Amino acid sequence: MTDSAPDPSTTDPAVIAALTEQIRALSEEVLNLRKDGRALAKSVERVEGSAARSAQGLDEFEASLDQMSAQLAAAAPPPGPEAVANTAGGEQPALAAAAVEEELDMAVLFEWVRLHLGDWAQRKLARTTGSASGWIWCAQWFEHPEAVTMLWLLRGAWLEAVIQGRPALLAYFRDCYYPTLRFLSDPQGPLHACTAEEHKDSPFVPVYPANWFTQTA
């Protein structure tokens, strides 16, 4: 038996250099994919946190409404004979017939914002934060609890207007849609630190002095 001759391609410096370069490029791509995965996971975590905070805000808002409704019902005068007869016949008072609000669903809200803002509204966008020369917006609006709450309530107003017909839709745009967008895009509003291309976290409104707890301890 004679030993087979070595394959020249395995010892060719050019081939070895090419293989080395391919391995380096693949290693770089794997590293970039890992970075992208970590960034995506962090973004998902922030979205879930914003959704939780917004859901809590809605719950507190609904609790306040329930309390106000109870106070109004307690302060209302007793019903007359006609109202008593209607209730006995099966008709419920207006307060008892109030529709149950939906719980915040970020997937539903994403789709609604895409259809009713991203695929419909056209604006001259501000290129710098706090600029008065364009519409202030943040592509990561879901990172702002106040914006999430307002847009979810705006979707609820739209649902009610759709059921009632065209006059109600006109009133919805006049009284709800455009005022809400003006509020969100205000230079001092919740998106003031952002542009359409860049999201920046901004502090929440302080409700007690910074050294409050150290003073009371």
Side-chain angles (χ1 to χ4, degrees):
M1 284 179 63
T2 58
D3 295 334
S4 59
D7 185 354
S9 64
T10 61
T11 57
D12 187 346
V15 174
I16 294 175
L19 289 173
T20 302
E21 177 61 23
Q22 290 179 10
I23 293 172
R24 186 196 65 78
L26 287 172
S27 299
E28 232 178 67
E29 186 175 350
V30 169
L31 182 60
N32 289 334
L33 287 173
R34 286 178 177 172
K35 288 181 179 178
D36 292 343
R38 286 195 293 269
L40 181 60
K42 189 175 180 181
S43 179
V44 169
E45 183 179 354
R46 287 199 303 269
V47 171
E48 290 176 347
S50 295
R53 290 194 299 272
S54 300
Q56 181 180 358
L58 281 172
D59 289 342
E60 293 173 353
F61 182 71
E62 290 173 0
S64 298
L65 286 178
D66 290 341
Q67 185 178 4
M68 291 175 63
S69 297
Q71 291 173 349
L72 286 172
E82 183 179 350
V84 172
N86 289 338
T87 303
E91 295 183 14
Q92 299 298 321
L95 289 174
V100 177
E101 293 292 336
E102 292 180 279
E103 291 186 3
L104 175 64
D105 188 325
M106 285 303 296
V108 172
L109 183 58
F110 263 109
E111 182 65 10
W112 188 86
V113 171
R114 182 185 71 81
L115 291 174
H116 294 261
L117 194 60
D119 291 351
W120 186 76
Q122 295 171 306
R123 295 290 187 280
K124 176 186 176 182
L125 297 174
R127 297 186 179 275
T128 58
T129 58
S131 173
S133 63
W135 196 62
I136 296 174
W137 181 247
C138 180
Q140 298 186 46
W141 53 268
F142 45 83
E143 298 281 11
H144 301 268
E146 190 174 5
V148 170
T149 300
M150 294 301 297
L151 289 170
W152 182 251
L153 294 174
L154 185 63
R155 173 185 172 272
W158 171 78
L159 288 172
E160 293 183 4
V162 167
I163 296 173
Q164 296 173 25
R166 292 183 180 180
L169 280 171
L170 287 173
Y172 156 78
F173 280 104
R174 181 195 64 207
D175 300 333
C176 300
Y177 185 85
Y178 291 118
T180 299
L181 294 192
R182 283 195 295 270
F183 161 75
L184 292 176
S185 64
D186 189 282
Q188 299 181 29
L191 311 180
H192 70 275
C194 304
T195 65
E197 292 81 20
E198 183 181 9
H199 164 74
K200 290 183 179 178
D201 290 326
S202 55
F204 293 106
V205 175
V207 294
Y208 50 78
N211 59 348
W212 179 268
F213 292 105
T214 57
Q215 287 181 348
T216 58

